[in-house]
Amino acid sequence: MFKTGVKKEALRALEKAQADYTDLCERAQVKAEELFKLRQSTSLELIPEVEAYVNSLANTPKDFDKSFAEYKAEFTVFNSILHELELAAKEAQVKAGGGAAIGVAAGVGTAAFAPTAAMAVATTFGTASTGTAISTLSGAAASKAALAWLGGGALAKGGAGVAGGKALLALAGPVGWAIGGTAIVGAGLFARSKNGKIADQATAARKELEVHIRTTRSATLEIDRMLEQTDQHTKGMREMLTKLKQDAPVDYNQFNLEMRQSIAALINHVHSLSELLNKKVDVS
């Protein structure tokens, strides 16, 4: 048939771009989840341990309290996103009911069963499908933006919306909403079009995917940098805290110069982690 070869080549190229994008998105999600877990463990375990140690000392400088207050403020923002996301997922499950509704809301249910993925999205990526930074949203708006991200984006943007989360968990990409249905290729996608038009559509979809591949690759590199920075500060805190607990007296006034430098560095790590906790990867 006329232009059959052109059509097949265009579809093969699109399928390869799809496979590359899928692989890259999966790696991005793994990194985002790793960053989320490190942020969470640091906030729930290490920072409180450091604060408890500092509070156990006599005569510590008042500036130390300020650093912990700053971190607590950042953690409140971080934790509120998680809380609202949990509430939104539970509410969607209740509304799903039975029959067809379960299928429609399957994505939200999946987000509830795989909270780490949804929470990693909400706390790592900086842009919702509306073009609004998730970091500037709050409450239900932030949670819905995260769930819509998992679903491939808002319906108005051509994605599956909140209800499509299940599909995108298999193809979880930070820019999934932007390509909508064109990301899923197959025999039925262009079934009613002529060969020439199919080739043009497939080529256009591939070019769009290639743009998002570059964007997602950049986002993954940024996650790696944030992960490395957070990990370095976390390890530094653990080492200094262990050494101070072993060697330092219980009164700050009795600290020698090296001990004072160590605890000052410990507090600096807290300050740095405050700045990193809610830092987002902007994929707009």
Side-chain angles (χ1 to χ4, degrees), residues 21 25 149 152 173-180 212-213 215-216 283-284:
Y21 180 69
C25 288
W149 187 98
V175 291
W177 64 81
I179 57 174
H212 296 309
I213 286 171
T215 302
T216 308
V283 293
S284 58

Side-chain angles (χ1 to χ4, degrees), residues 21-279:
Y21 180 69
T22 301
D23 179 66
L24 189 59
C25 288
E26 287 173 352
R27 285 189 276 133
Q29 183 181 335
V30 168
K31 290 292 184 180
E33 289 185 25
E34 189 177 347
L35 177 61
F36 167 72
K37 289 176 182 178
L38 181 58
R39 284 170 161 176
Q40 190 176 46
S41 65
T42 299
S43 300
L44 296 176
E45 299 168 14
L46 183 57
I47 297 293
E49 185 180 355
V50 172
E51 183 179 23
Y53 168 71
V54 172
N55 287 342
S56 72
L57 300 173
N59 300 309
T60 53
K62 296 298 181 184
D63 287 348
F64 290 1
D65 293 335
K66 181 180 178 182
S67 294
F68 288 113
E70 289 175 351
Y71 192 90
K72 287 178 180 178
E74 292 295 334
F75 181 62
T76 297
V77 174
F78 180 84
N79 209 38
S80 66
I81 294 175
L82 307 188
H83 179 66
E84 292 292 344
L85 187 57
E86 289 174 347
L87 291 178
K90 289 177 181 177
E91 180 182 355
Q93 279 188 307
V94 170
K95 288 181 178 179
I102 293 179
V104 172
V108 180
T110 302
F113 290 124
T116 302
M119 292 174 181
V121 168
T123 56
T124 301
F125 294 102
T127 307
S129 60
T130 57
T132 305
I134 291 177
S135 57
T136 66
L137 301 175
S138 62
S143 61
K144 287 178 181 177
L147 288 172
W149 187 98
L150 284 173
L155 291 168
K157 291 286 183 177
V162 174
K166 184 176 182 179
L168 202 68
L169 280 174
L171 176 64
V175 291
W177 64 81
I179 57 174
T182 62
I184 309 302
V185 299
L189 183 60
F190 306 118
R192 296 183 180 179
S193 299
K194 294 182 179 179
N195 288 340
K197 187 174 182 181
I198 290 173
D200 291 341
Q201 289 174 329
T203 299
R206 173 183 57 78
K207 289 180 178 179
E208 190 172 4
L209 266 175
E210 287 172 349
V211 171
H212 296 309
I213 286 171
R214 290 192 291 271
T215 302
T216 308
R217 186 174 289 116
S218 296
T220 304
L221 290 174
E222 180 61 21
I223 297 172
D224 279 333
R225 284 190 286 269
M226 291 166 60
L227 186 58
E228 182 180 3
Q229 290 174 336
T230 302
D231 188 54
Q232 286 177 346
H233 286 298
T234 299
K235 288 179 177 177
M237 287 179 69
R238 291 190 188 281
E239 291 174 3
M240 289 179 181
L241 180 61
T242 298
K243 185 172 177 57
L244 285 167
K245 283 184 172 182
Q246 290 175 346
D247 302 335
V250 295
D251 189 335
Y252 178 80
N253 288 339
Q254 296 176 14
F255 276 32
N256 59 32
L257 179 59
E258 183 182 356
M259 292 172 182
R260 290 182 181 231
Q261 290 174 337
S262 292
I263 198 169
L266 186 67
I267 298 301
N268 283 337
H269 280 305
V270 174
H271 178 71
S272 296
L273 286 172
S274 296
E275 296 180 340
L276 285 169
L277 180 60
N278 286 306
K279 186 176 180 181

